Amino acid sequence: MDEVVAKELALLRPDIRADAAEVAGLLHDDFREFGASGRVWDRQSVAKALAAEPGDGGEAHDLDAVRLADNVVLLTYATGPPARTALRSSLWVRDGGTWRILFHQGTPSPSSSPLRVRRATPVDAALLTEMMFVDPSREAIVMAGDADRAARFQLALLRQTLASADGAVLVLERDRTPIGFAEVTGGGDLPPFRIVARTALHAFGVLGTVRAACKSSARARVDMKALPDCVHLVELQVHPDARNQGAGGALLLAVEEEACARGVGNVSLTTTIDNPARRLYERHGFAVVAEKRDPRYERLTGSPGRVLMVKPLAVTPR
């Protein structure tokens, strides 16, 4: 019984979850899981998903172990923060002298705080920009010159999106506290140069704008146009304290719902080639349709280039 409990608790640890081979070794060949999200998982898909985003499985409490037969043990328990609050059960069987999980189920607890998506207002702009720069991208800082200038520039762009008829910012909240957001626009061309230039002057000043313009030529060589029949995801941001808890997936679902409401057939985004978030996008059905590389861009940002990713949606065009 102690061995089974120890192995179950090990699966909540980030270092174990990050090792796909270690996780697979704890799961029976015929393993199945009914996840808290409603998805059905098998052995390989669980091991792969946890390795991509190990996170912290949370703290287990109210754990109870019952021996159903000599080679069968049922564990029930609850998990809490930093993972989602859920009631969990695992059926362990002794297979060839080794205990492995045959079945697991997670059910959201009634006490868990639901996630809620709402549309942002101009009042939200400063808070969302602050969230973005808790863990800013290297590209944003390099292009602007420093984090403060980058934040002023992003704040101005975010305010323009909120004021435009074609843009929207979707805020994800837990307990009425924003934990992430998605900024979207209609597909097609990039923002007009005059708008970007005016925003840069406001954020950087004249000299700073000249310096940023010299660097922006490298970014321009890896930029790609969004598809015309799409909603384009400009920014997807999740507060570091809320990552690996389903927030990114919830925001992507909200973006898809926005696209369906607009009657367009695709969601697109661009990101750096080496962005770890690509694994999240790929799991949610996005595929790379174009890629651009540039040596100067790589020298400036550390990334070899950018990719355009698209997810087709099953919608009826307007």
Side-chain angles (χ1 to χ4, degrees), residues 10-260:
L11 280 167
L12 301 178
R13 288 165 37 196
D15 59 323
I16 299 296
R17 295 158 73 89
D19 188 336
E22 185 79 17
V23 171
L26 292 170
L27 306 181
H28 194 278
D29 290 347
D30 298 324
F31 171 84
R32 288 292 181 273
E33 174 179 341
F34 294 165
S37 64
R39 178 172 174 176
V40 179
W41 303 80
D42 61 17
R43 180 171 178 256
Q44 294 302 320
S45 63
V46 165
K48 183 178 179 180
L50 289 181
E53 287 188 37
D56 189 333
E59 181 180 356
H61 55 90
D62 298 330
L63 193 147
D64 188 32
V66 178
R67 186 184 294 274
L68 302 181
D70 287 345
N71 295 322
V72 182
V73 171
L74 174 66
L75 289 184
T76 58
Y77 60 102
T79 51
R84 70 175 71 186
T85 303
L87 301 177
R88 300 189 174 276
S89 62
S90 292
L91 190 65
W92 288 79
V93 298
R94 187 154 48 193
D95 178 31
T98 301
W99 287 98
R100 291 186 173 92
I101 302 180
L102 179 64
F103 177 78
H104 180 82
Q105 180 164 357
T107 304
S109 171
S111 62
S112 62
S113 300
L115 299 176
R116 182 177 77 99
V117 177
R118 64 172 176 82
R119 298 182 92 81
T121 69
V123 176
D124 296 305
L127 177 62
L128 299 183
T129 302
E130 181 181 340
M131 182 190 304
M132 186 187 304
F133 282 86
V134 172
D135 183 20
S137 69
R138 178 178 174 180
E139 181 190 80
I141 295 175
V142 167
M143 293 299 173
D146 59 48
D148 288 340
R149 291 177 180 175
R152 290 198 299 271
F153 183 66
Q154 292 296 334
L155 176 60
L157 290 179
L158 194 60
R159 284 172 171 163
Q160 288 178 11
T161 299
L162 289 169
S164 73
D166 194 40
V169 179
L170 309 173
V171 180
L172 184 68
E173 292 184 327
R174 178 182 287 130
D175 293 331
R176 298 189 177 277
T177 299
I179 61 170
F181 72 92
E183 178 185 357
V184 300
T185 64
D189 293 336
L190 298 170
F193 174 78
R194 67 181 184 278
I195 293 179
V196 176
R198 186 169 62 245
T199 304
L201 280 171
H202 177 75
F204 306 149
V206 176
L207 183 58
T209 299
V210 172
R211 290 172 177 167
C214 293
K215 298 174 183 176
S216 67
S217 62
R219 169 61 191 263
R221 285 194 286 270
V222 295
D223 269 334
M224 287 164 279
K225 290 184 178 181
L227 299 176
D229 178 32
C230 78
V231 160
H232 188 68
L233 179 58
V234 179
E235 288 284 349
L236 181 75
Q237 296 288 336
V238 176
H239 193 283
D241 293 343
R243 291 174 185 170
N244 299 318
Q245 299 174 40
L251 282 168
L252 288 177
L253 179 60
V255 171
E256 292 179 26
E257 291 173 348
E258 175 73 16
C260 290

